[in-house]
Amino acid sequence: MTSRPRSSLLRDYPLLIAGGILLAVNLNLFLAPSQIAPGGVSGTAIILNHFTGWPIGVMMLVLNLPLLAIGFRRLGRFQFLSRTVVVIVIYNLGTDLLQGVFPAGGITSNLLLNALYGGVVGGIATGLVYRGSGTIGGTGILSRIFQKKTGIPASQVYLLTDGGVIFAAGLVFGGEKALYSLISLFVWGLATDFVLEGPSVVRTAFIVTDRPERVSAALLGTLGLGVTRWQARGSYTGAQHTVLFCTLSRPDVDMLRAAVSEADPDAFLVIGHGHQASGGMVRLVGAETSRRTGRKSRSGRKPAGPRRRTPRAASRRV
Protein backbone atom coordinates (compact mmCIF):
# COMPACT_ATOMS: atom_id res chain seq x y z
CA MET A 1 0.00 0.00 0.00
CA THR A 2 1.27 3.44 -0.93
CA SER A 3 2.08 5.57 2.10
CA ARG A 4 1.10 9.19 2.22
CA PRO A 5 3.87 11.63 1.23
CA ARG A 6 5.54 13.58 4.01
CA SER A 7 4.30 16.81 2.42
CA SER A 8 0.72 15.57 2.91
CA LEU A 9 1.39 14.90 6.57
CA LEU A 10 2.85 18.38 7.00
CA ARG A 11 -0.30 19.80 5.41
CA ASP A 12 -2.80 17.56 7.19
CA TYR A 13 -1.75 18.01 10.81
CA PRO A 14 -1.99 21.81 10.82
CA LEU A 15 -5.55 21.36 9.49
CA LEU A 16 -6.31 18.87 12.25
CA ILE A 17 -4.89 21.17 14.94
CA ALA A 18 -6.70 24.24 13.58
CA GLY A 19 -9.95 22.32 13.38
CA GLY A 20 -9.63 21.04 16.95
CA ILE A 21 -8.93 24.53 18.32
CA LEU A 22 -11.86 26.02 16.39
CA LEU A 23 -14.19 23.35 17.75
CA ALA A 24 -13.13 24.12 21.33
CA VAL A 25 -13.58 27.87 20.77
CA ASN A 26 -16.97 27.29 19.15
CA LEU A 27 -18.25 25.24 22.05
CA ASN A 28 -17.18 27.85 24.61
CA LEU A 29 -18.37 30.91 22.67
CA PHE A 30 -21.64 29.85 21.09
CA LEU A 31 -22.99 26.46 22.15
CA ALA A 32 -22.42 25.78 25.85
CA PRO A 33 -23.31 29.31 27.11
CA SER A 34 -26.66 29.25 25.30
CA GLN A 35 -27.33 25.54 26.07
CA ILE A 36 -27.56 24.70 22.37
CA ALA A 37 -26.85 21.00 21.97
CA PRO A 38 -26.90 20.11 18.25
CA GLY A 39 -26.42 16.39 18.81
CA GLY A 40 -23.31 14.32 19.15
CA VAL A 41 -21.07 13.70 22.12
CA SER A 42 -20.68 17.42 22.78
CA GLY A 43 -24.46 17.84 22.99
CA THR A 44 -24.65 14.89 25.35
CA ALA A 45 -21.88 16.40 27.47
CA ILE A 46 -23.72 19.75 27.63
CA ILE A 47 -26.84 17.96 28.91
CA LEU A 48 -24.86 15.97 31.50
CA ASN A 49 -23.04 19.13 32.60
CA HIS A 50 -26.41 20.71 33.36
CA PHE A 51 -27.17 17.96 35.89
CA THR A 52 -23.73 17.08 37.26
CA GLY A 53 -21.54 20.14 36.77
CA TRP A 54 -18.75 17.89 35.50
CA PRO A 55 -16.36 19.46 32.95
CA ILE A 56 -17.73 19.21 29.44
CA GLY A 57 -14.37 18.38 27.86
CA VAL A 58 -13.63 15.51 30.22
CA MET A 59 -17.08 14.02 29.68
CA MET A 60 -16.63 14.23 25.90
CA LEU A 61 -13.29 12.44 26.20
CA VAL A 62 -14.84 9.58 28.22
CA LEU A 63 -17.78 9.25 25.83
CA ASN A 64 -15.45 9.16 22.84
CA LEU A 65 -13.48 6.10 23.95
CA PRO A 66 -15.94 3.37 22.81
CA LEU A 67 -16.60 5.23 19.56
CA LEU A 68 -12.87 5.36 18.88
CA ALA A 69 -12.79 1.57 19.11
CA ILE A 70 -15.53 1.34 16.46
CA GLY A 71 -13.77 3.82 14.19
CA PHE A 72 -10.47 1.99 14.60
CA ARG A 73 -12.08 -1.10 13.13
CA ARG A 74 -14.11 0.53 10.37
CA LEU A 75 -12.24 3.66 9.26
CA GLY A 76 -8.61 2.85 8.68
CA ARG A 77 -7.17 1.50 11.94
CA PHE A 78 -3.92 3.26 12.95
CA GLN A 79 -4.07 6.05 10.37
CA PHE A 80 -7.59 6.84 11.54
CA LEU A 81 -6.64 6.50 15.21
CA SER A 82 -3.56 8.74 15.11
CA ARG A 83 -5.33 11.61 13.38
CA THR A 84 -8.53 11.31 15.35
CA VAL A 85 -6.77 11.18 18.72
CA VAL A 86 -4.96 14.43 17.88
CA VAL A 87 -8.26 16.19 17.16
CA ILE A 88 -10.12 14.69 20.14
CA VAL A 89 -7.40 15.61 22.62
CA ILE A 90 -7.19 19.20 21.36
CA TYR A 91 -10.96 19.57 21.12
CA ASN A 92 -12.00 17.89 24.37
CA LEU A 93 -9.22 19.10 26.66
CA GLY A 94 -9.09 22.48 24.91
CA THR A 95 -12.77 22.97 25.76
CA ASP A 96 -11.98 22.88 29.47
CA LEU A 97 -8.69 24.78 29.23
CA LEU A 98 -10.26 27.67 27.27
CA GLN A 99 -13.33 27.89 29.49
CA GLY A 100 -11.78 30.56 31.68
CA VAL A 101 -10.49 32.56 28.71
CA PHE A 102 -13.85 33.46 27.21
CA PRO A 103 -16.81 35.19 28.89
CA ALA A 104 -18.99 32.75 30.84
CA GLY A 105 -22.09 33.86 28.93
CA GLY A 106 -20.44 33.87 25.51
CA ILE A 107 -20.30 36.95 23.32
CA THR A 108 -24.06 37.28 22.79
CA SER A 109 -27.25 36.14 24.46
CA ASN A 110 -29.15 35.99 21.16
CA LEU A 111 -30.07 32.33 20.61
CA LEU A 112 -30.43 32.68 16.84
CA LEU A 113 -26.98 34.21 16.46
CA ASN A 114 -25.46 31.53 18.67
CA ALA A 115 -27.18 28.78 16.67
CA LEU A 116 -26.13 30.18 13.30
CA TYR A 117 -22.55 31.03 14.20
CA GLY A 118 -22.17 27.82 16.18
CA GLY A 119 -23.18 25.89 13.07
CA VAL A 120 -20.98 27.88 10.71
CA VAL A 121 -17.84 27.84 12.87
CA GLY A 122 -18.37 24.21 13.83
CA GLY A 123 -18.90 23.22 10.20
CA ILE A 124 -15.77 25.04 9.08
CA ALA A 125 -13.77 23.35 11.84
CA THR A 126 -15.13 19.93 10.95
CA GLY A 127 -14.40 20.51 7.27
CA LEU A 128 -10.79 21.39 8.12
CA VAL A 129 -10.46 18.19 10.12
CA TYR A 130 -11.75 16.12 7.25
CA ARG A 131 -9.55 17.94 4.77
CA GLY A 132 -6.76 16.70 7.00
CA SER A 133 -8.10 13.12 6.66
CA GLY A 134 -9.19 12.99 10.29
CA THR A 135 -12.43 12.90 12.22
CA ILE A 136 -13.65 14.72 15.31
CA GLY A 137 -14.85 11.52 16.90
CA GLY A 138 -18.18 11.16 18.66
CA THR A 139 -21.27 10.31 16.65
CA GLY A 140 -19.39 11.80 13.72
CA ILE A 141 -17.60 8.44 13.52
CA LEU A 142 -20.94 6.68 13.22
CA SER A 143 -22.12 9.28 10.69
CA ARG A 144 -19.06 8.80 8.56
CA ILE A 145 -19.46 5.02 8.50
CA PHE A 146 -23.15 5.33 7.68
CA GLN A 147 -22.53 7.93 4.99
CA LYS A 148 -19.88 5.79 3.30
CA LYS A 149 -22.22 2.80 3.21
CA THR A 150 -25.39 4.56 2.04
CA GLY A 151 -24.28 7.62 0.07
CA ILE A 152 -26.62 9.95 1.98
CA PRO A 153 -25.19 13.52 2.22
CA ALA A 154 -23.57 14.45 5.52
CA SER A 155 -26.20 17.06 6.35
CA GLN A 156 -28.90 14.37 6.29
CA VAL A 157 -26.80 11.84 8.19
CA TYR A 158 -26.40 14.35 11.00
CA LEU A 159 -30.15 14.62 11.41
CA LEU A 160 -30.44 10.85 11.66
CA THR A 161 -27.62 10.27 14.15
CA ASP A 162 -28.11 13.33 16.34
CA GLY A 163 -31.89 13.58 16.49
CA GLY A 164 -32.08 11.66 19.75
CA VAL A 165 -29.63 14.01 21.47
CA ILE A 166 -31.57 17.06 20.31
CA PHE A 167 -34.80 15.48 21.53
CA ALA A 168 -33.22 14.93 24.95
CA ALA A 169 -31.95 18.52 24.95
CA GLY A 170 -35.52 19.69 24.29
CA LEU A 171 -36.75 17.78 27.33
CA VAL A 172 -34.01 19.28 29.51
CA PHE A 173 -33.64 22.85 28.19
CA GLY A 174 -37.03 23.38 26.58
CA GLY A 175 -38.48 23.08 23.11
CA GLU A 176 -37.28 26.49 21.94
CA LYS A 177 -33.62 25.64 22.47
CA ALA A 178 -34.16 22.29 20.79
CA LEU A 179 -35.41 24.12 17.70
CA TYR A 180 -32.32 26.34 17.73
CA SER A 181 -30.20 23.20 18.09
CA LEU A 182 -31.80 21.85 14.91
CA ILE A 183 -30.93 25.06 13.09
CA SER A 184 -27.35 24.82 14.29
CA LEU A 185 -27.13 21.16 13.26
CA PHE A 186 -28.46 21.89 9.78
CA VAL A 187 -26.09 24.81 9.21
CA TRP A 188 -23.23 22.72 10.63
CA GLY A 189 -23.82 20.03 8.03
CA LEU A 190 -24.03 22.51 5.15
CA ALA A 191 -20.85 24.30 6.19
CA THR A 192 -19.01 21.01 6.56
CA ASP A 193 -20.12 19.81 3.13
CA PHE A 194 -19.05 23.06 1.51
CA VAL A 195 -15.61 23.17 3.14
CA LEU A 196 -14.96 19.52 2.44
CA GLU A 197 -16.48 19.09 -1.01
CA GLY A 198 -17.07 22.55 -2.44
CA PRO A 199 -20.13 22.99 -4.66
CA SER A 200 -20.04 19.34 -5.80
CA VAL A 201 -19.91 16.22 -3.65
CA VAL A 202 -18.03 13.73 -5.78
CA ARG A 203 -14.92 13.73 -7.96
CA THR A 204 -14.41 11.74 -11.15
CA ALA A 205 -11.00 10.63 -12.36
CA PHE A 206 -9.96 9.77 -15.92
CA ILE A 207 -6.51 8.24 -16.25
CA VAL A 208 -4.86 7.60 -19.63
CA THR A 209 -2.04 5.14 -19.07
CA ASP A 210 0.10 2.50 -20.72
CA ARG A 211 0.40 0.63 -17.42
CA PRO A 212 -3.23 -0.10 -16.51
CA GLU A 213 -2.50 -3.10 -14.31
CA ARG A 214 -0.06 -1.22 -12.10
CA VAL A 215 -2.29 1.84 -11.81
CA SER A 216 -5.39 -0.26 -11.09
CA ALA A 217 -3.54 -2.20 -8.40
CA ALA A 218 -2.28 1.04 -6.84
CA LEU A 219 -5.80 2.50 -6.66
CA LEU A 220 -7.19 -0.69 -5.20
CA GLY A 221 -4.38 -1.06 -2.65
CA THR A 222 -4.23 2.59 -1.60
CA LEU A 223 -7.86 3.72 -1.75
CA GLY A 224 -9.84 0.51 -2.16
CA LEU A 225 -11.24 1.85 -5.45
CA GLY A 226 -12.38 -0.34 -8.31
CA VAL A 227 -12.02 1.09 -11.82
CA THR A 228 -13.61 0.78 -15.24
CA ARG A 229 -11.25 0.51 -18.20
CA TRP A 230 -11.46 0.77 -21.96
CA GLN A 231 -9.06 1.02 -24.87
CA ALA A 232 -8.43 4.31 -26.64
CA ARG A 233 -6.26 5.61 -29.48
CA GLY A 234 -4.40 8.91 -29.53
CA SER A 235 -5.56 11.03 -32.46
CA TYR A 236 -2.15 12.58 -33.07
CA THR A 237 0.16 9.60 -32.59
CA GLY A 238 -2.28 6.79 -33.32
CA ALA A 239 -0.86 4.94 -30.30
CA GLN A 240 -3.05 2.62 -28.25
CA HIS A 241 -3.67 3.55 -24.60
CA THR A 242 -5.92 2.41 -21.75
CA VAL A 243 -8.37 4.78 -20.09
CA LEU A 244 -9.26 4.12 -16.44
CA PHE A 245 -12.28 5.71 -14.78
CA CYS A 246 -13.32 5.90 -11.14
CA THR A 247 -15.14 8.18 -8.72
CA LEU A 248 -13.86 9.29 -5.35
CA SER A 249 -14.32 11.92 -2.66
CA ARG A 250 -12.46 15.21 -2.50
CA PRO A 251 -10.25 14.22 0.48
CA ASP A 252 -8.96 11.25 -1.54
CA VAL A 253 -7.83 13.28 -4.56
CA ASP A 254 -4.30 13.89 -3.28
CA MET A 255 -3.83 10.23 -2.44
CA LEU A 256 -5.05 9.27 -5.91
CA ARG A 257 -2.61 11.68 -7.55
CA ALA A 258 0.26 10.23 -5.53
CA ALA A 259 -0.74 6.63 -6.27
CA VAL A 260 -1.09 7.25 -10.02
CA SER A 261 2.17 9.21 -10.19
CA GLU A 262 4.06 6.42 -8.45
CA ALA A 263 2.53 3.65 -10.57
CA ASP A 264 2.93 5.46 -13.91
CA PRO A 265 4.76 8.81 -13.93
CA ASP A 266 3.75 9.31 -17.60
CA ALA A 267 0.02 8.83 -17.00
CA PHE A 268 -2.40 11.60 -18.03
CA LEU A 269 -4.80 12.34 -15.16
CA VAL A 270 -7.97 14.46 -15.28
CA ILE A 271 -10.04 15.16 -12.15
CA GLY A 272 -13.62 16.25 -12.75
CA HIS A 273 -16.62 17.23 -10.64
CA GLY A 274 -19.81 15.27 -10.15
CA HIS A 275 -22.88 15.77 -8.01
CA GLN A 276 -23.59 12.28 -6.70
CA ALA A 277 -22.66 8.67 -7.49
CA SER A 278 -25.02 5.78 -6.85
CA GLY A 279 -25.07 2.09 -7.58
CA GLY A 280 -21.88 0.22 -8.32
CA MET A 281 -20.04 -1.10 -5.30
CA VAL A 282 -19.28 0.25 -1.86
CA ARG A 283 -15.63 0.60 -0.95
CA LEU A 284 -14.64 -1.88 1.74
CA VAL A 285 -11.57 -2.27 3.92
CA GLY A 286 -9.01 -5.02 4.28
CA ALA A 287 -9.39 -8.59 3.09
CA GLU A 288 -13.03 -8.11 2.20
CA THR A 289 -12.04 -5.36 -0.20
CA SER A 290 -9.48 -7.56 -1.92
CA ARG A 291 -11.88 -10.46 -2.15
CA ARG A 292 -14.80 -8.51 -3.63
CA THR A 293 -12.87 -6.14 -5.88
CA GLY A 294 -10.78 -9.02 -7.14
CA ARG A 295 -13.85 -10.91 -8.36
CA LYS A 296 -14.11 -10.70 -12.13
CA SER A 297 -17.21 -10.31 -14.24
CA ARG A 298 -18.24 -12.66 -17.00
CA SER A 299 -16.44 -10.51 -19.52
CA GLY A 300 -13.18 -11.08 -17.67
CA ARG A 301 -12.94 -7.50 -16.50
CA LYS A 302 -13.02 -6.29 -12.96
CA PRO A 303 -16.38 -4.91 -11.85
CA ALA A 304 -17.09 -1.47 -13.20
CA GLY A 305 -17.21 1.61 -11.08
CA PRO A 306 -15.77 2.54 -7.72
CA ARG A 307 -16.37 0.70 -4.50
CA ARG A 308 -17.96 3.72 -2.92
CA ARG A 309 -21.19 5.36 -3.83
CA THR A 310 -20.48 8.81 -2.60
CA PRO A 311 -17.59 10.59 -0.98
CA ARG A 312 -17.07 10.68 2.71
CA ALA A 313 -18.29 13.81 4.01
CA ALA A 314 -17.68 15.48 7.09
CA SER A 315 -18.45 13.56 10.07
CA ARG A 316 -20.13 16.06 12.08
CA ARG A 317 -19.61 17.02 15.46
CA VAL A 318 -19.14 15.21 18.56
Side-chain angles (χ1 to χ4, degrees):
M1 180 178 291
T2 305
S3 59
R4 300 199 71 178
R6 181 174 297 181
S7 59
S8 296
L9 297 178
L10 294 176
R11 178 204 62 196
D12 290 348
Y13 275 90
L15 293 175
L16 299 174
I17 294 170
I21 293 174
L22 268 180
L23 286 166
V25 171
N26 184 53
L27 189 63
N28 280 297
L29 276 184
F30 302 113
L31 302 181
S34 55
Q35 295 180 325
I36 292 176
V41 168
S42 61
T44 304
I46 291 173
I47 295 173
L48 293 176
N49 172 264
H50 175 74
F51 291 107
T52 65
W54 296 340
I56 294 176
V58 172
M59 284 189 290
M60 286 195 296
L61 188 61
V62 172
L63 293 171
N64 267 312
L65 294 179
L67 296 171
L68 279 174
I70 297 174
F72 177 79
R73 183 177 179 181
R74 299 285 184 178
L75 295 176
R77 293 189 176 271
F78 289 103
Q79 178 176 327
F80 157 81
L81 187 64
S82 62
R83 294 166 184 267
T84 301
V85 166
V86 169
V87 178
I88 287 178
V89 169
I90 294 174
Y91 177 23
N92 296 174
L93 298 185
T95 296
D96 291 339
L97 293 176
L98 294 176
Q99 189 173 10
V101 176
F102 300 108
I107 58 178
T108 178
S109 59
N110 187 298
L111 288 176
L112 180 59
L113 288 177
N114 283 318
L116 291 176
Y117 278 93
V120 171
V121 176
I124 292 173
T126 303
L128 291 177
V129 170
Y130 273 84
R131 291 292 294 271
S133 299
T135 173
I136 60 176
T139 56
I141 295 175
L142 301 179
S143 298
R144 185 170 178 182
I145 294 173
F146 187 69
Q147 196 266 348
K148 287 175 64 178
K149 295 292 184 181
T150 63
I152 298 176
S155 54
Q156 296 181 25
V157 176
Y158 299 160
L159 294 176
L160 294 174
T161 58
D162 299 327
V165 177
I166 293 177
F167 179 76
L171 296 177
V172 175
F173 302 126
E176 183 182 14
K177 291 186 177 179
L179 294 176
Y180 282 113
S181 296
L182 280 173
I183 293 175
S184 183
L185 175 63
F186 181 73
V187 173
W188 194 305
L190 293 178
T192 299
D193 282 343
F194 189 82
V195 172
L196 181 64
E197 305 295 346
S200 63
V201 295
V202 69
R203 298 295 185 264
T204 59
F206 290 89
I207 307 161
V208 182
T209 177
D210 294 327
R211 300 176 181 177
E213 297 298 335
R214 290 187 59 182
V215 175
S216 298
L219 295 181
L220 179 62
T222 304
L223 295 167
L225 292 175
V227 299
T228 299
R229 68 170 66 182
W230 60 87
Q231 296 300 314
R233 181 190 297 272
S235 295
Y236 180 73
T237 63
Q240 290 286 343
H241 305 286
T242 300
V243 179
L244 305 179
F245 170 78
C246 64
T247 63
L248 65 159
S249 65
R250 174 61 184 86
D252 290 337
V253 169
D254 290 339
M255 292 184 67
L256 180 135
R257 286 198 187 103
V260 172
S261 178
E262 181 173 333
D264 183 5
D266 298 321
F268 178 67
L269 172 64
V270 177
I271 304 293
H273 293 251
H275 177 67
Q276 187 177 23
S278 61
M281 296 176 294
V282 178
R283 187 175 74 178
L284 303 177
V285 179
E288 189 178 2
T289 300
S290 301
R291 182 173 67 252
R292 295 192 180 183
T293 56
R295 189 172 55 199
K296 293 186 177 181
S297 64
R298 293 181 180 178
S299 64
R301 297 180 180 178
K302 290 189 176 181
R307 289 202 67 82
R308 36 189 317 184
R309 296 177 180 169
T310 186
R312 45 179 145 124
S315 160
R316 208 208 43 56
R317 14 169 347 190
V318 298

